Coordinates of all heavy atoms in Angstrom, one line a residue:
M1 N -28.9 -28.5 14.2 CA -28.5 -28.8 12.9 C -27.1 -29.3 12.8 O -26.2 -28.6 13.2 CB -28.6 -27.5 12.1 CG -30.0 -26.9 12.0 SD -29.9 -25.4 11.0 CE -30.8 -26.0 9.6
G2 N -27.0 -30.5 12.4 CA -25.7 -31.2 12.5 C -25.1 -31.5 11.1 O -24.6 -32.6 10.9
G3 N -25.3 -30.6 10.1 CA -24.7 -30.9 8.8 C -23.2 -30.6 8.7 O -22.6 -30.1 9.7
S4 N -22.7 -31.0 7.6 CA -21.2 -30.8 7.4 C -21.0 -29.3 7.0 O -21.9 -28.6 6.5 CB -20.7 -31.7 6.3 OG -21.4 -31.4 5.1
P5 N -19.8 -28.8 7.3 CA -19.6 -27.4 7.0 C -19.6 -27.1 5.5 O -19.4 -28.0 4.7 CB -18.1 -27.1 7.5 CG -17.5 -28.4 7.7 CD -18.7 -29.4 7.9
R6 N -20.0 -25.9 5.1 CA -20.1 -25.6 3.7 C -18.8 -25.5 3.0 O -17.8 -25.0 3.6 CB -20.8 -24.3 3.5 CG -22.3 -24.3 3.9 CD -22.9 -23.0 3.6 NE -24.3 -23.1 3.9 CZ -25.2 -22.1 3.5 NH1 -24.8 -21.1 2.9 NH2 -26.4 -22.3 3.8
A7 N -18.7 -25.9 1.8 CA -17.5 -25.9 1.0 C -17.3 -24.4 0.6 O -18.3 -23.7 0.4 CB -17.6 -26.8 -0.2
P8 N -16.1 -24.0 0.4 CA -15.8 -22.6 -0.1 C -16.4 -22.4 -1.5 O -16.5 -23.4 -2.3 CB -14.3 -22.5 -0.1 CG -13.8 -23.8 0.0 CD -14.8 -24.7 0.6
P9 N -16.7 -21.2 -1.9 CA -17.3 -21.0 -3.2 C -16.2 -21.3 -4.3 O -15.0 -21.1 -4.0 CB -17.7 -19.6 -3.2 CG -16.9 -18.9 -2.2 CD -16.6 -20.0 -1.1
P10 N -16.6 -21.7 -5.5 CA -15.6 -21.9 -6.5 C -15.0 -20.6 -7.0 O -15.6 -19.5 -6.8 CB -16.5 -22.5 -7.7 CG -17.9 -22.0 -7.4 CD -18.0 -21.9 -5.9
P11 N -13.8 -20.7 -7.5 CA -13.1 -19.4 -8.0 C -13.9 -18.8 -9.1 O -14.7 -19.5 -9.8 CB -11.8 -19.9 -8.5 CG -11.9 -21.4 -8.7 CD -13.0 -21.9 -7.8
P12 N -13.8 -17.5 -9.3 CA -14.6 -16.8 -10.3 C -14.2 -17.3 -11.7 O -13.0 -17.7 -11.9 CB -14.2 -15.3 -10.2 CG -13.0 -15.3 -9.3 CD -13.0 -16.6 -8.6
R13 N -15.1 -17.3 -12.6 CA -14.9 -17.8 -14.0 C -14.2 -16.7 -14.8 O -14.2 -15.5 -14.4 CB -16.2 -18.1 -14.7 CG -16.8 -19.3 -14.1 CD -18.0 -19.7 -14.8 NE -18.6 -20.9 -14.3 CZ -18.8 -22.0 -14.9 NH1 -18.4 -22.1 -16.2 NH2 -19.3 -23.1 -14.3
G14 N -13.5 -17.1 -15.8 CA -12.9 -16.1 -16.7 C -11.4 -16.2 -16.6 O -10.8 -16.9 -15.8
R15 N -10.7 -15.5 -17.5 CA -9.3 -15.6 -17.5 C -8.6 -14.6 -16.6 O -9.1 -13.5 -16.5 CB -8.8 -15.4 -19.0 CG -9.2 -16.6 -19.9 CD -8.6 -16.5 -21.2 NE -7.9 -15.3 -21.6 CZ -7.4 -15.1 -22.7 NH1 -7.5 -15.9 -23.7 NH2 -6.7 -13.9 -23.0
R16 N -7.5 -15.0 -16.0 CA -6.8 -14.0 -15.2 C -6.0 -13.1 -16.1 O -5.4 -13.5 -17.0 CB -5.8 -14.9 -14.3 CG -5.1 -14.0 -13.4 CD -4.2 -15.0 -12.5 NE -3.5 -14.2 -11.5 CZ -2.4 -13.5 -11.8 NH1 -1.9 -13.4 -13.0 NH2 -1.8 -12.8 -10.8
R17 N -6.0 -11.8 -15.7 CA -5.3 -10.8 -16.5 C -3.9 -10.7 -16.1 O -3.6 -10.9 -14.9 CB -5.9 -9.4 -16.4 CG -7.3 -9.3 -17.0 CD -7.8 -7.9 -16.9 NE -8.9 -7.8 -17.8 CZ -9.4 -6.6 -18.1 NH1 -9.0 -5.5 -17.5 NH2 -10.5 -6.5 -18.9
G18 N -3.0 -10.5 -17.0 CA -1.6 -10.3 -16.7 C -0.8 -11.6 -16.6 O -1.4 -12.7 -16.7
P19 N 0.5 -11.4 -16.3 CA 1.3 -12.7 -16.2 C 1.0 -13.4 -15.0 O 0.5 -12.8 -14.0 CB 2.7 -12.1 -16.2 CG 2.6 -10.7 -15.7 CD 1.2 -10.2 -16.2
P20 N 1.3 -14.7 -14.9 CA 1.1 -15.4 -13.7 C 2.1 -14.9 -12.6 O 3.1 -14.3 -12.9 CB 1.5 -16.9 -14.1 CG 2.4 -16.7 -15.2 CD 2.0 -15.5 -15.9
P21 N 1.7 -15.1 -11.3 CA 2.6 -14.7 -10.2 C 3.9 -15.4 -10.3 O 4.0 -16.5 -10.8 CB 1.8 -15.0 -9.0 CG 0.8 -16.0 -9.4 CD 0.5 -15.8 -10.8
P22 N 5.0 -14.8 -9.8 CA 6.3 -15.5 -9.8 C 6.3 -16.7 -8.9 O 5.6 -16.8 -7.9 CB 7.2 -14.4 -9.3 CG 6.4 -13.5 -8.5 CD 5.1 -13.5 -9.1
T23 N 7.1 -17.7 -9.2 CA 7.3 -18.8 -8.4 C 8.2 -18.5 -7.3 O 9.0 -17.5 -7.4 CB 7.8 -20.0 -9.2 OG1 9.1 -19.7 -9.6 CG2 6.9 -20.4 -10.4
P24 N 8.3 -19.2 -6.2 CA 9.3 -18.9 -5.1 C 10.7 -18.8 -5.6 O 11.5 -18.0 -5.2 CB 9.1 -20.0 -4.1 CG 7.7 -20.4 -4.3 CD 7.4 -20.3 -5.8
A25 N 11.1 -19.6 -6.6 CA 12.4 -19.6 -7.2 C 12.7 -18.3 -7.9 O 13.9 -17.9 -8.1 CB 12.6 -20.8 -8.1
E26 N 11.7 -17.6 -8.4 CA 11.9 -16.4 -9.2 C 11.9 -15.1 -8.3 O 12.2 -14.1 -8.8 CB 10.7 -16.2 -10.2 CG 10.7 -17.3 -11.3 CD 9.5 -17.3 -12.1 OE1 8.4 -17.0 -11.6 OE2 9.6 -17.5 -13.3
V27 N 11.6 -15.3 -7.0 CA 11.5 -14.1 -6.1 C 12.9 -13.9 -5.5 O 13.4 -14.9 -4.9 CB 10.5 -14.3 -5.0 CG1 10.5 -13.1 -4.1 CG2 9.1 -14.4 -5.7
P28 N 13.5 -12.7 -5.6 CA 14.9 -12.5 -5.0 C 14.8 -12.8 -3.5 O 13.8 -12.4 -2.8 CB 15.2 -11.1 -5.3 CG 14.2 -10.7 -6.4 CD 13.1 -11.6 -6.3
D29 N 15.9 -13.3 -3.0 CA 16.0 -13.5 -1.5 C 15.8 -12.3 -0.7 O 15.2 -12.3 0.4 CB 17.4 -14.1 -1.2 CG 17.5 -15.6 -1.7 OD1 16.5 -16.2 -1.9 OD2 18.7 -16.0 -1.8
S30 N 16.3 -11.1 -1.2 CA 16.1 -9.8 -0.5 C 14.6 -9.5 -0.3 O 14.2 -8.9 0.7 CB 16.8 -8.7 -1.2 OG 16.3 -8.5 -2.5
T31 N 13.8 -9.9 -1.3 CA 12.4 -9.6 -1.2 C 11.7 -10.4 -0.1 O 10.9 -10.0 0.6 CB 11.7 -9.9 -2.6 OG1 12.3 -9.1 -3.5 CG2 10.2 -9.6 -2.5
L32 N 12.1 -11.7 0.0 CA 11.6 -12.6 1.0 C 12.0 -12.2 2.4 O 11.3 -12.4 3.3 CB 12.0 -14.0 0.7 CG 11.5 -14.6 -0.6 CD1 12.2 -16.0 -0.8 CD2 10.0 -14.7 -0.7
A33 N 13.1 -11.5 2.5 CA 13.6 -11.0 3.8 C 12.8 -9.9 4.4 O 12.9 -9.5 5.5 CB 15.1 -10.7 3.7
G34 N 12.0 -9.2 3.5 CA 11.3 -8.1 4.0 C 11.9 -6.7 3.6 O 13.0 -6.7 3.0
P35 N 11.3 -5.6 3.9 CA 11.8 -4.3 3.5 C 13.1 -4.0 4.3 O 13.3 -4.5 5.4 CB 10.7 -3.3 3.9 CG 9.8 -4.1 4.8 CD 10.0 -5.5 4.6
T36 N 14.0 -3.2 3.6 CA 15.2 -2.8 4.2 C 15.2 -1.3 4.4 O 14.2 -0.6 3.9 CB 16.4 -3.2 3.4 OG1 16.3 -2.6 2.1 CG2 16.5 -4.7 3.2
A37 N 16.2 -0.7 4.9 CA 16.3 0.8 5.1 C 16.3 1.5 3.8 O 16.0 2.7 3.8 CB 17.5 1.1 5.9
D38 N 16.6 0.9 2.7 CA 16.7 1.6 1.4 C 15.7 1.1 0.4 O 15.9 1.0 -0.8 CB 18.1 1.6 0.8 CG 18.6 0.2 0.6 OD1 17.9 -0.8 1.0 OD2 19.7 0.1 0.0
T39 N 14.5 0.6 0.9 CA 13.5 0.1 0.0 C 12.9 1.2 -0.8 O 12.6 2.3 -0.4 CB 12.4 -0.5 0.9 OG1 12.9 -1.6 1.7 CG2 11.2 -1.0 0.1
V40 N 12.7 0.9 -2.1 CA 12.0 1.8 -3.1 C 10.9 1.0 -3.7 O 11.1 -0.1 -4.2 CB 13.0 2.3 -4.1 CG1 12.3 3.2 -5.1 CG2 14.2 3.1 -3.5
I41 N 9.7 1.7 -3.8 CA 8.6 1.1 -4.4 C 8.1 2.0 -5.5 O 7.9 3.2 -5.3 CB 7.4 0.8 -3.5 CG1 7.8 -0.2 -2.4 CG2 6.2 0.3 -4.2 CD1 6.8 -0.3 -1.3
L42 N 8.0 1.5 -6.8 CA 7.6 2.3 -7.9 C 6.3 1.8 -8.5 O 6.2 0.6 -8.8 CB 8.7 2.3 -9.0 CG 8.3 2.9 -10.3 CD1 8.1 4.4 -10.2 CD2 9.4 2.6 -11.3
L43 N 5.3 2.6 -8.6 CA 4.1 2.3 -9.3 C 4.0 3.2 -10.5 O 4.1 4.4 -10.4 CB 2.9 2.5 -8.4 CG 2.8 1.8 -7.1 CD1 1.6 2.3 -6.3 CD2 2.7 0.3 -7.3
Q44 N 3.9 2.7 -11.7 CA 3.8 3.5 -12.9 C 2.8 3.0 -13.9 O 2.7 1.8 -14.1 CB 5.2 3.5 -13.6 CG 5.2 4.4 -14.8 CD 6.6 4.7 -15.3 OE1 7.6 4.6 -14.5 NE2 6.8 5.0 -16.5
T45 N 2.0 3.9 -14.5 CA 1.0 3.6 -15.5 C 1.7 3.5 -16.8 O 2.8 4.0 -17.0 CB -0.1 4.6 -15.5 OG1 0.4 5.8 -16.0 CG2 -0.8 4.8 -14.1
K46 N 1.0 2.9 -17.8 CA 1.5 2.9 -19.2 C 1.7 4.3 -19.7 O 2.6 4.5 -20.5 CB 0.5 2.1 -20.1 CG 0.5 0.6 -19.8 CD -0.5 -0.1 -20.8 CE -0.5 -1.5 -20.5 NZ -1.4 -2.2 -21.4
G47 N 0.9 5.3 -19.3 CA 1.0 6.6 -19.7 C 2.1 7.4 -19.1 O 2.4 8.5 -19.5
G48 N 2.8 6.9 -18.1 CA 4.0 7.5 -17.5 C 3.7 8.2 -16.1 O 4.6 8.7 -15.5
T49 N 2.5 8.2 -15.7 CA 2.2 8.7 -14.3 C 2.8 7.7 -13.3 O 2.6 6.5 -13.5 CB 0.7 8.9 -14.1 OG1 0.2 9.9 -15.1 CG2 0.4 9.4 -12.7
R50 N 3.5 8.3 -12.3 CA 4.1 7.4 -11.4 C 4.1 7.9 -9.9 O 4.1 9.1 -9.7 CB 5.5 7.0 -11.8 CG 6.5 8.1 -11.8 CD 7.8 7.7 -12.4 NE 8.8 8.7 -12.2 CZ 10.0 8.5 -12.6 NH1 10.4 7.4 -13.1 NH2 10.9 9.5 -12.4
V51 N 4.2 6.9 -9.0 CA 4.3 7.2 -7.6 C 5.5 6.4 -7.1 O 5.7 5.2 -7.4 CB 3.1 6.7 -6.8 CG1 3.3 6.9 -5.3 CG2 1.8 7.4 -7.3
V52 N 6.4 7.1 -6.4 CA 7.6 6.5 -5.9 C 7.6 6.7 -4.4 O 7.5 7.8 -3.9 CB 8.9 7.1 -6.5 CG1 10.2 6.5 -5.9 CG2 8.9 7.0 -8.0
L53 N 7.8 5.6 -3.7 CA 7.9 5.6 -2.2 C 9.3 5.1 -1.9 O 9.7 4.0 -2.3 CB 6.9 4.6 -1.6 CG 5.4 4.8 -2.0 CD1 4.6 3.7 -1.4 CD2 4.9 6.2 -1.5
S54 N 10.1 5.9 -1.2 CA 11.5 5.6 -1.0 C 11.9 5.8 0.4 O 11.7 6.8 1.0 CB 12.4 6.4 -1.9 OG 13.7 6.2 -1.6
D55 N 12.6 4.7 1.0 CA 13.1 4.8 2.3 C 14.6 5.1 2.3 O 15.3 5.0 3.3 CB 12.9 3.5 3.1 CG 11.4 3.3 3.5 OD1 10.7 4.4 3.6 OD2 11.0 2.2 3.7
V56 N 15.1 5.5 1.2 CA 16.5 5.9 1.0 C 16.8 7.0 2.0 O 16.1 8.0 2.0 CB 16.9 6.2 -0.4 CG1 18.3 6.8 -0.5 CG2 16.7 5.1 -1.3
P57 N 17.8 6.9 2.8 CA 18.1 8.0 3.8 C 18.5 9.3 3.0 O 19.1 9.3 1.9 CB 19.3 7.5 4.6 CG 19.4 6.0 4.3 CD 18.7 5.8 3.0
G58 N 18.2 10.4 3.7 CA 18.6 11.7 3.1 C 17.6 12.3 2.2 O 16.4 11.9 2.2
P59 N 17.9 13.4 1.5 CA 16.9 14.1 0.7 C 16.3 13.4 -0.4 O 15.3 13.8 -1.0 CB 17.7 15.4 0.3 CG 19.2 14.9 0.3 CD 19.3 13.9 1.4
T60 N 16.9 12.3 -0.9 CA 16.3 11.6 -2.0 C 15.2 10.6 -1.6 O 14.5 10.2 -2.5 CB 17.4 10.8 -2.8 OG1 18.1 9.9 -1.9 CG2 18.5 11.7 -3.4
G61 N 15.1 10.3 -0.3 CA 14.0 9.5 0.1 C 12.7 10.3 0.3 O 12.7 11.5 0.3
G62 N 11.6 9.6 0.3 CA 10.3 10.2 0.5 C 9.3 9.7 -0.4 O 9.3 8.6 -0.9
V63 N 8.4 10.6 -0.8 CA 7.3 10.2 -1.7 C 7.3 11.2 -2.9 O 7.4 12.4 -2.7 CB 5.9 10.3 -1.0 CG1 4.8 10.0 -1.9 CG2 5.9 9.4 0.3
T64 N 7.2 10.7 -4.1 CA 7.1 11.5 -5.3 C 5.9 11.1 -6.1 O 5.7 9.9 -6.4 CB 8.4 11.4 -6.2 OG1 9.5 11.7 -5.4 CG2 8.3 12.2 -7.4
L65 N 5.1 12.0 -6.5 CA 3.9 11.8 -7.4 C 4.2 12.6 -8.6 O 4.4 13.8 -8.6 CB 2.6 12.3 -6.7 CG 1.4 12.3 -7.6 CD1 1.0 10.9 -8.1 CD2 0.2 12.9 -6.9
R66 N 4.4 11.9 -9.8 CA 4.8 12.6 -11.0 C 3.7 12.3 -12.1 O 3.5 11.1 -12.4 CB 6.2 12.2 -11.5 CG 6.7 12.9 -12.7 CD 8.1 12.5 -13.0 NE 9.0 12.7 -11.9 CZ 9.7 13.8 -11.6 NH1 9.6 14.8 -12.4 NH2 10.5 13.8 -10.6
I67 N 3.2 13.3 -12.7 CA 2.2 13.1 -13.7 C 2.9 13.2 -15.1 O 3.9 13.9 -15.2 CB 1.1 14.2 -13.7 CG1 0.5 14.3 -12.3 CG2 0.0 14.1 -14.8 CD1 -0.2 13.0 -11.8
A68 N 2.5 12.4 -16.1 CA 3.2 12.3 -17.3 C 3.4 13.7 -18.0 O 4.4 13.9 -18.7 CB 2.4 11.4 -18.3
G69 N 2.5 14.6 -17.7 CA 2.6 16.0 -18.3 C 3.7 16.8 -17.7 O 4.0 17.9 -18.1
G70 N 4.3 16.4 -16.5 CA 5.4 17.1 -15.9 C 5.1 17.6 -14.5 O 6.0 18.0 -13.8
A71 N 3.8 17.6 -14.1 CA 3.5 18.1 -12.7 C 4.1 17.1 -11.7 O 4.1 15.9 -11.9 CB 2.0 18.3 -12.5
V72 N 4.6 17.7 -10.6 CA 5.3 16.8 -9.6 C 4.9 17.3 -8.2 O 4.9 18.6 -7.9 CB 6.8 16.9 -9.7 CG1 7.5 16.1 -8.7 CG2 7.2 16.4 -11.1
I73 N 4.7 16.4 -7.3 CA 4.7 16.7 -5.8 C 5.7 15.8 -5.2 O 5.7 14.6 -5.4 CB 3.3 16.4 -5.2 CG1 2.3 17.3 -5.8 CG2 3.4 16.7 -3.7 CD1 0.8 17.0 -5.4
E74 N 6.7 16.4 -4.5 CA 7.7 15.6 -3.8 C 7.7 16.0 -2.3 O 7.7 17.1 -1.9 CB 9.1 15.9 -4.3 CG 9.3 15.5 -5.8 CD 10.7 15.9 -6.3 OE1 11.1 17.0 -6.0 OE2 11.2 15.1 -7.1
V75 N 7.8 15.0 -1.5 CA 7.8 15.1 0.0 C 9.1 14.3 0.5 O 9.1 13.1 0.3 CB 6.6 14.6 0.7 CG1 6.7 14.8 2.2 CG2 5.3 15.3 0.2
S76 N 10.0 15.0 1.0 CA 11.2 14.4 1.5 C 11.6 14.9 2.9 O 11.0 15.9 3.4 CB 12.4 14.5 0.5 OG 12.9 15.9 0.6
H77 N 12.7 14.4 3.4 CA 13.2 15.0 4.7 C 13.7 16.4 4.5 O 13.7 17.2 5.4 CB 14.4 14.1 5.2 CG 13.9 12.7 5.6 ND1 13.2 12.5 6.7 CD2 14.1 11.5 5.0 CE1 13.0 11.2 6.8 NE2 13.5 10.6 5.8
A78 N 14.2 16.7 3.3 CA 14.7 18.0 3.0 C 13.7 19.1 2.8 O 13.8 20.2 3.2 CB 15.7 18.0 1.9
A79 N 12.6 18.8 2.0 CA 11.7 19.8 1.6 C 10.4 19.2 1.1 O 10.3 18.0 0.8 CB 12.3 20.7 0.5
I80 N 9.4 20.0 0.8 CA 8.2 19.7 0.1 C 8.1 20.5 -1.1 O 8.2 21.8 -1.0 CB 6.9 19.9 1.0 CG1 7.0 19.0 2.2 CG2 5.7 19.6 0.2 CD1 5.9 19.2 3.2
T81 N 8.0 19.9 -2.3 CA 8.0 20.7 -3.5 C 6.8 20.4 -4.3 O 6.4 19.2 -4.5 CB 9.3 20.3 -4.4 OG1 10.4 20.6 -3.6 CG2 9.3 21.1 -5.7
I82 N 6.1 21.4 -4.8 CA 5.0 21.3 -5.7 C 5.3 22.0 -7.0 O 5.7 23.2 -6.9 CB 3.7 21.8 -5.1 CG1 3.4 21.1 -3.8 CG2 2.5 21.7 -6.1 CD1 2.2 21.8 -3.0
S83 N 5.3 21.4 -8.2 CA 5.6 22.0 -9.4 C 4.6 21.6 -10.5 O 4.2 20.4 -10.5 CB 7.0 21.6 -9.9 OG 7.3 22.0 -11.2
N84 N 4.2 22.6 -11.3 CA 3.3 22.2 -12.4 C 3.9 21.8 -13.7 O 3.3 21.5 -14.6 CB 2.3 23.4 -12.6 CG 3.0 24.6 -13.3 OD1 4.2 24.6 -13.5 ND2 2.2 25.6 -13.7
G85 N 5.3 21.7 -13.7 CA 6.0 21.3 -14.9 C 6.1 22.3 -16.0 O 6.6 22.1 -17.0
Q86 N 5.6 23.5 -15.7 CA 5.6 24.6 -16.7 C 6.3 25.9 -16.1 O 6.1 26.9 -16.7 CB 4.1 25.0 -17.1 CG 3.4 23.8 -17.7 CD 1.9 24.1 -17.9 OE1 1.5 25.2 -18.0 NE2 1.1 23.0 -17.9
G87 N 7.0 25.7 -15.0 CA 7.8 26.8 -14.5 C 7.3 27.3 -13.1 O 8.0 27.9 -12.4
A88 N 6.0 27.0 -12.8 CA 5.5 27.5 -11.5 C 5.8 26.4 -10.4 O 5.7 25.2 -10.7 CB 4.0 27.7 -11.5
S89 N 6.3 26.9 -9.3 CA 6.7 25.9 -8.2 C 6.6 26.6 -6.8 O 6.7 27.8 -6.7 CB 8.1 25.3 -8.4 OG 9.0 26.4 -8.3
I90 N 6.4 25.8 -5.9 CA 6.4 26.2 -4.4 C 7.3 25.2 -3.7 O 7.1 24.0 -3.9 CB 5.0 26.1 -3.8 CG1 4.0 27.0 -4.6 CG2 5.0 26.5 -2.4 CD1 2.5 26.9 -4.2
V91 N 8.2 25.7 -3.0 CA 9.1 24.8 -2.2 C 9.1 25.2 -0.7 O 9.3 26.4 -0.4 CB 10.6 24.9 -2.7 CG1 11.5 24.0 -1.8 CG2 10.7 24.5 -4.2
L92 N 8.7 24.3 0.1 CA 8.8 24.5 1.6 C 10.0 23.9 2.1 O 10.1 22.6 2.0 CB 7.5 24.0 2.3 CG 6.2 24.7 1.9 CD1 5.6 24.1 0.6 CD2 5.2 24.5 3.1
N93 N 10.9 24.6 2.6 CA 12.2 24.1 3.0 C 12.5 24.7 4.4 O 12.8 25.9 4.5 CB 13.3 24.4 2.0 CG 14.6 23.7 2.3 OD1 14.8 23.1 3.4 ND2 15.5 23.8 1.4
G94 N 12.4 24.0 5.4 CA 12.6 24.5 6.8 C 11.5 25.5 7.1 O 10.3 25.3 6.9
A95 N 11.9 26.7 7.5 CA 10.9 27.8 7.8 C 10.7 28.7 6.6 O 10.1 29.8 6.7 CB 11.4 28.6 9.0
T96 N 11.2 28.4 5.4 CA 11.2 29.2 4.2 C 10.3 28.7 3.2 O 10.3 27.5 2.9 CB 12.6 29.4 3.6 OG1 13.5 29.9 4.7 CG2 12.6 30.3 2.5
I97 N 9.5 29.6 2.5 CA 8.7 29.2 1.4 C 9.2 29.9 0.2 O 9.4 31.2 0.2 CB 7.2 29.6 1.6 CG1 6.7 29.0 2.9 CG2 6.4 29.2 0.4 CD1 5.3 29.5 3.3
S98 N 9.5 29.2 -0.9 CA 10.1 29.8 -2.1 C 9.1 29.6 -3.3 O 8.6 28.4 -3.4 CB 11.5 29.2 -2.4 OG 12.0 29.7 -3.6
F99 N 8.9 30.6 -4.0 CA 8.0 30.5 -5.2 C 8.8 30.7 -6.5 O 9.6 31.5 -6.6 CB 6.9 31.6 -5.1 CG 6.0 31.5 -3.9 CD1 6.3 32.2 -2.8 CD2 4.8 30.8 -4.0 CE1 5.5 32.1 -1.7 CE2 4.0 30.7 -2.9 CZ 4.3 31.4 -1.7
N100 N 8.4 29.8 -7.5 CA 9.0 29.9 -8.8 C 10.5 30.0 -8.8 O 11.1 31.0 -9.4 CB 8.3 31.0 -9.6 CG 6.9 30.8 -9.8 OD1 6.4 29.7 -9.7 ND2 6.1 31.9 -10.0
G101 N 11.2 29.1 -8.2 CA 12.6 29.1 -8.3 C 13.3 30.2 -7.5 O 14.4 30.6 -7.9
G102 N 12.7 30.8 -6.5 CA 13.3 31.8 -5.7 C 13.0 33.2 -6.2 O 13.5 34.2 -5.7
Q103 N 12.0 33.4 -7.2 CA 11.6 34.7 -7.6 C 11.0 35.5 -6.5 O 11.0 36.7 -6.4 CB 10.7 34.6 -8.8 CG 11.4 34.1 -10.0 CD 10.4 34.1 -11.2 OE1 9.3 34.5 -11.1 NE2 10.9 33.5 -12.3
M104 N 10.4 34.7 -5.5 CA 9.8 35.3 -4.3 C 10.0 34.3 -3.2 O 9.8 33.2 -3.3 CB 8.3 35.6 -4.5 CG 7.7 36.2 -3.3 SD 5.9 36.5 -3.6 CE 5.3 36.5 -2.0
T105 N 10.6 34.9 -2.1 CA 10.8 34.0 -0.9 C 10.2 34.6 0.3 O 10.3 35.8 0.5 CB 12.4 33.9 -0.7 OG1 12.9 33.3 -1.9 CG2 12.7 33.0 0.5
V106 N 9.6 33.8 1.1 CA 8.9 34.3 2.4 C 9.7 33.5 3.5 O 9.7 32.3 3.6 CB 7.5 33.9 2.4 CG1 6.8 34.4 3.7 CG2 6.7 34.5 1.2
P107 N 10.4 34.3 4.3 CA 11.1 33.7 5.4 C 10.2 33.2 6.5 O 9.1 33.7 6.7 CB 12.0 34.8 6.0 CG 11.5 36.1 5.4 CD 10.6 35.7 4.2

């Protein structure tokens, strides 16, 4: 069979949602250079739920998942914290587990 190669399928019909992608002139030079040691990525919904990924050195870097109602899970170099936003929390820091702001601590 010696036919010509098939053409790619046409793009899907319909309107594209959201704004158009930025042009190269609109993209900051630092973005084009790639990630740096202090890169922070934020994903947030209209309702306020968000995920933060941070390479900032120290205890402020890590991963944070925050629900609009106040519940939070944070993972950093310093500790892992789970909080329901209503006063209950668990903190794993080194070899220690702390419940509800230190009301109970397990060494």
Side-chain angles (χ1 to χ4, degrees):
M1 300 181 106
S4 62
R6 290 186 177 188
R13 293 183 178 242
R15 292 185 354 179
R16 183 178 184 282
R17 291 185 167 189
T23 66
E26 296 171 319
V27 177
D29 291 338
S30 60
T31 303
L32 297 174
T36 62
D38 59 353
T39 299
V40 176
I41 297 172
L42 169 66
L43 302 173
Q44 183 167 333
T45 66
K46 288 181 182 181
T49 297
R50 65 186 188 177
V51 176
V52 179
L53 306 172
S54 173
D55 286 337
V56 173
T60 58
V63 178
T64 301
L65 172 63
R66 184 176 307 269
I67 306 302
V72 178
I73 298 174
E74 295 177 321
V75 179
S76 73
H77 294 288
I80 299 173
T81 302
I82 301 172
S83 172
N84 70 353
Q86 300 172 23
S89 65
I90 302 170
V91 178
L92 291 84
N93 189 350
T96 303
I97 304 170
S98 176
F99 297 91
N100 298 338
Q103 291 181 8
M104 180 177 154
T105 301
V106 179

